Amino acid sequence: MPEITVFASLMYLPHGVRVLATWAYGWKAVPILAAGGAAAAWLFTPTQELTLLEPVLIWSILVGAASAFVAFEIVRFFGYDFYCGQRTKLRWTGMIGIGLLASVINSIGQTLVYSELIVFGNTFRVQVIYATGDLIGLIVCMLGLMLVFRWHRALESSPN
């Protein structure tokens, strides 16, 4: 929906990577995600758009890299620790909830970062588009991870 925003995607896989990396590595994922976000921005963003976004791009990268960590910490503050290793079994519904919270944090942060480039009449629609793309990206990444876990378990249980 480029008429609303060019900054969001319908299936944003990096959000799934953010949430799952933060689940696995906690705060240690934030600098790695920031470095990956910076590398991706400078490698894949067309020069014309990069020039337009450059003044706020670092803030955008930092908001994106930290959003999942902030969501995990908010949930942990309320007594639910979903980090890897804290439970015997991963609760996927909880991860989707954390992904949704991280998406809301990210979309609000990105809206603030890009406030001079977004028409405020579209703010709610922009945030809904961010959240939709983020959640679809998270679900796709989670499905991929579930398949990898199943494949790994099948390899472990197969006779050699």
Side-chain angles (χ1 to χ4, degrees), residues 104-153:
V104 169
I105 292 166
N106 183 48
S107 65
I108 290 170
Q110 298 299 341
T111 300
L112 293 172
V113 167
Y114 292 115
S115 63
E116 293 183 14
L117 302 173
I118 296 173
V119 177
F120 270 103
N122 291 336
T123 302
F124 180 74
R125 289 192 296 180
V126 168
Q127 290 178 349
V128 168
I129 292 169
Y130 270 124
T132 302
D134 287 352
L135 283 180
I136 291 171
L138 172 61
I139 290 167
V140 168
C141 285
M142 286 174 47
L143 288 172
L145 189 61
M146 283 189 339
L147 291 174
V148 168
F149 285 162
R150 285 185 183 187
W151 176 71
H152 181 68
R153 282 192 305 268

Side-chain angles (χ1 to χ4, degrees), residues 46 56 59 68 128:
V56 294
W59 287 110
V128 168

Side-chain angles (χ1 to χ4, degrees), residues 21-34:
T22 305
W23 165 72
Y25 298 106
W27 68 266
K28 297 173 197 160
V30 175
I32 295 166
L33 291 168

